[in-house]
Amino acid sequence: MREVAIIGIGQTIISEHWDKSLRELAGEAALAAMAEAQVTHVDSVYVGNMLSDISNLQAHLGSMVADWIGQRFTDAVKIESACSSGSAAFRAGYLAVASGDVDIALVVGVEKMTDSPGSEITSALATAADADWEVDHGLSFVALNALIMKRYMYEYGWKGIDFAEFAINAHANAVHNPNARFRKPITENSFIKSPMICDPINLMDASPVGDGAAAVILANADILTPNSAKIVVAGSSAATDTIAIHNRKAPLWLTAAEKSTQKAYAQAGIGPDDIGVFEYHDAFTIMAALSLEAGGFAEPGKGPMLAKEGEIKLGGRIPVATRGGLKARGHPVGATGMYQIVEVVQQLRGEAGETQVPRYDFGMAQNIGGSGSNIVTHILKRIQ
Amino acid sequence: MREVAIIGIGQTIISEHWDKSLRELAGEAALAAMAEAQVTHVDSVYVGNMLSDISNLQAHLGSMVADWIGQRFTDAVKIESACSSGSAAFRAGYLAVASGDVDIALVVGVEKMTDSPGSEITSALATAADADWEVDHGLSFVALNALIMKRYMYEYGWKGIDFAEFAINAHANAVHNPNARFRKPITENSFIKSPMICDPINLMDASPVGDGAAAVILANADILTPNSAKIVVAGSSAATDTIAIHNRKAPLWLTAAEKSTQKAYAQAGIGPDDIGVFEYHDAFTIMAALSLEAGGFAEPGKGPMLAKEGEIKLGGRIPVATRGGLKARGHPVGATGMYQIVEVVQQLRGEAGETQVPRYDFGMAQNIGGSGSNIVTHILKRIQ
């Protein structure tokens, strides 16, 4: 396999973009990435998106984006794996370049959620759960995560407030990210006072929907990069699990995260201690805790302890959500995985400003589809 | 790039499968392909599907299929590019194996359309057109093809009856395909008498919806195959065009087909004369004509002549729709591309029975998404 480098990044601010269409959002991020990479042509386009069929009445985003950004006739497809669609698209683009079939690929994650009423988005997001075995019985996606969190609290003795630091840390970092949806810090007091959505998940345990797009240019690593630092893909791995949670032997353990993380570590020839920044999938605080455990950063049931001890902050043992995470940067579902990749690149380049992590040789991005049923892990490495 | 072989195929009959769920259909084809390939494990799963979000309220088909067929924890995603989703998934699986990241990949195309009312399917299929510039103005997908056909007839002087042979040939071949939806021959008289759907497209110009799934196992070609003939991927290429037809400089020329076909020919080191079987995308008879022209089998505007002269029949210059094509085998949209691949494999193995083509060193499968806006071409080659 050829080595693959990320030679350009682009992103839009995450917001309620009522004045921009799906193609305009994707185009803004894609053209920014192409401009930064100093390329005017790409060989392939990979679009990560989950909801456009239902929320925008538009399938076929590969062709739509390719045409809109001036790459008409280019090979282009959409990749979908629920909320991990963004990084699944990245992985498809990575494999295409690694194979030698493609020299330069654009990957863009895009989602436009806020044009639709909330009830419609709740139904659309429920397509990530099992239609026959979960959704038909009335379970929403928040409800599924609430069941996991309740069981976790019961098994390990945690209280709701023990998850507050995940949200507080994310918001503290988002203050410095101009593309984040919520740039306001929160306190333990605002966490306590936030309304309950689906017991035990309160508003501050949950990430917000949003509209946004993030993109990268991938290239054969032999191609010269115009950027100050050369960033390559050192590990790329994905693993699935059963969608319906009741079918899992250990519903409090993200087996798919463990498997994809372990494989990515092995590919990169490193372990958890070498990761200087971890952009994890904190769609809900319970997913933050479970991700830290499955990734080897905390013992089973001890994820919240890492947060309480400050080890997830910028100077801690494993900085997470350094640009705000899903919680505060925002979670435009099919775009999220690409925001994570872009943010890790910013860190490894040393361009993360006030939220720059101190160690930035290796960074990890992990994107979760469903309640742990499709987990894609990438490890990026700074070469120079 | 590593050479990639197809070591197993599977398919369901195309029908109204009201007694089978989406996962059961996909599983039936996938497990048949695995059994034929004599593998019990795959490294990756690629699912081609277009409509499940809207028609089955189920996204996330990668995880769903992987789990259902006993491959829980396996890397799995869905690929979508409207009606070319099936072959786009095949191409993604091909690149993954060619890259060296994956040794054995399952690709399955699946679609379940007949549970939904016809009006809902018409709306769902319209997501393949441009939501902002076509569908918002009331154009359905049939209407878009009718506009192209009308213009073609005007420019080149053809009448509706001149397209009859495309449908007659497809039905004649489907009689011998146990998996075809319609196994009844039709005559020129039945073509003439068939009701008009959207002038000039009548019922016999159009392919039927259906439920079905088709699958293959791809493997590093160094792996021994249990089959009598070794079939490898000699060419794989995809190209896009603008979705909205009014934006094309030459709306009667499938530029994306020309580009992807030419590239596939170059990769395989052959030309149109070497193709012994061409499974083309006859969603409408006008697309059959345009595909023959863009593929180099007929001059611009002369596609119907090839059909009228009998050259598209089994013994003709370029046999098409040899197992019934979209017209008679059926068009479960996201699965169609995989049916085409499976059918070309049957021909190259010499296992097509009464519809066996006489020359079967090379076969071509071409899948069209939108009205020519995403075209994926594969050339398969028999090695032994």
Side-chain angles (χ1 to χ4, degrees):
Chain A
M1 291 174 71
R2 301 197 303 186
E3 191 167 57
V4 178
I6 299 174
I7 64 167
I9 57 174
Q11 59 182 315
T12 74
I13 186 171
I14 296 179
S15 183
E16 299 187 1
H17 286 294
W18 296 351
D19 57 336
K20 285 181 186 160
S21 68
L22 195 64
R23 79 184 86 208
E24 286 171 318
L25 283 173
E28 188 177 320
L31 292 172
M34 289 175 68
E36 203 204 50
Q38 298 177 20
V39 299
T40 54
H41 167 82
V42 298
D43 299 323
S44 283
V45 174
Y46 296 86
V47 180
N49 170 271
M50 176 183 172
L51 300 173
S52 76
D53 296 11
I54 294 175
S55 299
N56 315 105
L57 304 178
Q58 180 72 69
H60 215 165
L61 299 194
S63 299
M64 186 192 76
V65 171
D67 185 32
W68 182 250
I69 62 171
Q71 303 295 308
R72 192 180 293 183
F73 308 131
T74 300
D75 182 1
V77 290
K78 161 177 161 173
I79 314 281
E80 186 270 327
S81 61
C83 294
S84 64
S85 299
S87 58
F90 182 87
R91 179 161 157 73
Y94 161 72
L95 291 177
V97 177
S99 78
D101 188 74
V102 166
D103 282 326
I104 300 180
L106 164 72
V107 188
V108 56
V110 62
E111 203 75 71
K112 185 161 168 57
M113 307 170 80
T114 72
D115 283 354
S116 309
S119 58
E120 188 179 302
I121 285 294
T122 300
S123 296
L125 288 170
T127 61
D130 195 300
D132 297 336
W133 298 334
E134 293 179 325
V135 183
D136 243 17
H137 305 283
L139 278 162
S140 72
F141 205 69
V142 183
L144 284 165
N145 281 275
L147 287 174
I148 298 174
M149 185 170 176
K150 199 139 204 169
R151 175 66 177 243
Y152 184 88
M153 291 162 70
Y154 172 82
E155 292 283 351
Y156 296 114
W158 296 109
K159 295 195 165 41
I161 186 65
D162 296 322
F163 294 81
E165 278 301 325
F166 291 118
I168 293 167
N169 172 65
H171 276 268
N173 291 335
V175 169
H176 306 289
N177 178 2
N179 293 304
R181 175 141 196 209
F182 295 130
R183 302 185 62 188
K184 219 174 110 178
I186 63 166
T187 63
E188 194 171 87
N189 198 37
S190 48
F191 183 90
I192 291 169
K193 286 186 178 164
S194 69
M196 190 58 69
I197 301 172
C198 186
D199 187 21
I201 291 178
N202 73 30
L203 192 64
M204 288 300 137
D205 285 304
S207 57
V209 303
D211 307 331
V216 302
I217 303 295
L218 292 172
N220 172 5
D222 295 340
I223 292 177
L224 280 181
T225 162
N227 310 119
S228 52
K230 187 168 185 174
I231 312 296
V232 298
V233 180
S236 173
S237 174
T240 55
D241 202 340
T242 180
I243 297 179
I245 295 164
H246 62 259
N247 272 342
R248 293 189 199 153
K249 281 186 188 161
L252 299 183
W253 185 251
L254 294 179
T255 308
E258 179 192 12
K259 287 187 182 284
S260 76
T261 312
Q262 288 300 327
K263 190 165 174 186
Y265 287 148
Q267 288 169 341
I270 61 168
D273 291 346
D274 301 300
I275 301 293
V277 51
F278 178 26
E279 290 303 332
Y280 65 4
H281 191 92
D282 55 333
F284 300 98
T285 51
I286 179 64
M287 282 295 139
L290 297 182
S291 299
L292 287 168
E293 295 167 19
F297 302 103
E299 294 296 308
K302 302 282 189 201
M305 184 65 76
L306 212 61
K308 289 167 83 75
E309 289 174 346
E311 297 290 7
I312 64 169
K313 291 185 181 173
L314 295 173
R317 194 146 62 81
I318 182 66
V320 299
T322 64
R323 309 293 287 161
L326 281 63
K327 175 67 196 84
R329 171 244 291 138
H331 185 26
V333 289
T336 289
M338 288 306 300
Y339 275 97
Q340 295 176 313
I341 298 274
V342 163
E343 290 162 357
V344 170
V345 171
Q346 289 179 317
Q347 290 285 6
L348 299 196
R349 283 182 182 169
E351 295 175 355
E354 302 199 53
T355 62
Q356 181 63 47
V357 295
R359 295 184 304 136
Y360 50 102
D361 289 321
F362 291 96
M364 185 158 79
Q366 185 172 79
N367 199 193
I368 302 183
S371 305
S373 37
N374 200 315
I375 303 188
V376 188
T377 306
H378 284 99
I379 294 176
L380 307 184
K381 179 182 179 182
R382 180 169 52 90
I383 296 282
Q384 52 185 229
Chain B
M1 293 176 71
R2 302 198 301 187
E3 191 168 56
V4 178
I6 299 174
I7 64 167
I9 57 174
Q11 58 182 315
T12 74
I13 185 171
I14 296 179
S15 183
E16 299 186 3
H17 286 294
W18 296 352
D19 57 336
K20 285 182 186 158
S21 68
L22 195 64
R23 78 184 87 208
E24 286 172 318
L25 283 173
E28 188 176 321
L31 292 173
M34 289 175 69
E36 204 204 50
Q38 299 176 18
V39 298
T40 54
H41 166 82
V42 298
D43 300 322
S44 283
V45 174
Y46 295 86
V47 180
N49 170 273
M50 176 183 173
L51 300 173
S52 77
D53 296 10
I54 294 176
S55 299
N56 315 105
L57 304 178
Q58 181 71 69
H60 215 164
L61 299 193
S63 299
M64 185 191 77
V65 171
D67 185 32
W68 182 250
I69 62 170
Q71 304 295 308
R72 192 180 292 184
F73 309 131
T74 300
D75 182 1
V77 290
K78 161 177 160 172
I79 315 281
E80 186 271 326
S81 61
C83 294
S84 63
S85 299
S87 59
F90 182 86
R91 179 161 158 72
Y94 161 71
L95 290 177
V97 177
S99 77
D101 187 75
V102 166
D103 282 327
I104 299 180
L106 164 72
V107 188
V108 56
V110 62
E111 203 75 70
K112 184 160 168 58
M113 307 170 80
T114 71
D115 284 354
S116 310
S119 59
E120 188 180 302
I121 285 294
T122 299
S123 296
L125 288 170
T127 61
D130 195 300
D132 297 335
W133 299 332
E134 293 179 326
V135 183
D136 244 17
H137 305 283
L139 279 162
S140 71
F141 205 68
V142 183
L144 284 165
N145 280 275
L147 287 173
I148 298 174
M149 186 168 175
K150 198 138 204 170
R151 174 68 176 243
Y152 184 88
M153 291 162 70
Y154 171 82
E155 292 283 351
Y156 296 115
W158 297 110
K159 296 195 166 40
I161 186 65
D162 296 321
F163 295 81
E165 278 301 325
F166 292 118
I168 293 167
N169 171 65
H171 276 268
N173 290 333
V175 168
H176 307 288
N177 178 3
N179 293 303
R181 175 141 196 208
F182 294 129
R183 301 183 63 188
K184 217 174 111 179
I186 63 165
T187 62
E188 193 171 88
N189 198 38
S190 48
F191 183 90
I192 291 168
K193 285 185 179 165
S194 69
M196 189 59 69
I197 301 173
C198 185
D199 187 21
I201 291 178
N202 74 30
L203 192 64
M204 288 299 137
D205 286 302
S207 57
V209 303
D211 308 330
V216 302
I217 302 295
L218 292 172
N220 172 5
D222 295 339
I223 293 177
L224 280 181
T225 162
N227 311 118
S228 53
K230 185 167 186 174
I231 312 295
V232 298
V233 180
S236 173
S237 174
T240 55
D241 202 341
T242 180
I243 297 179
I245 295 163
H246 62 259
N247 272 342
R248 293 189 199 153
K249 282 187 185 159
L252 300 183
W253 184 252
L254 295 179
T255 307
E258 180 193 10
K259 286 187 183 285
S260 76
T261 312
Q262 287 301 328
K263 191 166 174 185
Y265 287 149
Q267 288 169 340
I270 62 169
D273 292 346
D274 301 299
I275 301 293
V277 51
F278 178 26
E279 289 303 332
Y280 66 2
H281 192 93
D282 55 333
F284 300 98
T285 51
I286 179 64
M287 282 294 140
L290 297 182
S291 299
L292 288 167
E293 295 167 18
F297 302 103
E299 294 296 308
K302 302 283 189 201
M305 184 65 76
L306 211 62
K308 290 167 81 76
E309 289 173 346
E311 296 291 7
I312 63 170
K313 291 184 181 172
L314 295 173
R317 195 147 62 81
I318 182 65
V320 299
T322 65
R323 309 294 286 161
L326 280 62
K327 175 68 196 82
R329 171 243 292 137
H331 184 26
V333 289
T336 289
M338 288 306 300
Y339 275 96
Q340 295 176 314
I341 298 274
V342 163
E343 290 161 356
V344 170
V345 171
Q346 289 180 317
Q347 290 285 6
L348 299 196
R349 284 181 183 170
E351 295 175 355
E354 302 200 53
T355 63
Q356 181 64 47
V357 296
R359 294 184 304 136
Y360 50 102
D361 289 320
F362 291 96
M364 185 158 79
Q366 185 172 79
N367 199 192
I368 302 183
S371 306
S373 38
N374 200 316
I375 303 189
V376 188
T377 306
H378 284 98
I379 294 175
L380 307 184
K381 179 182 179 182
R382 180 170 52 90
I383 296 282
Q384 51 186 229

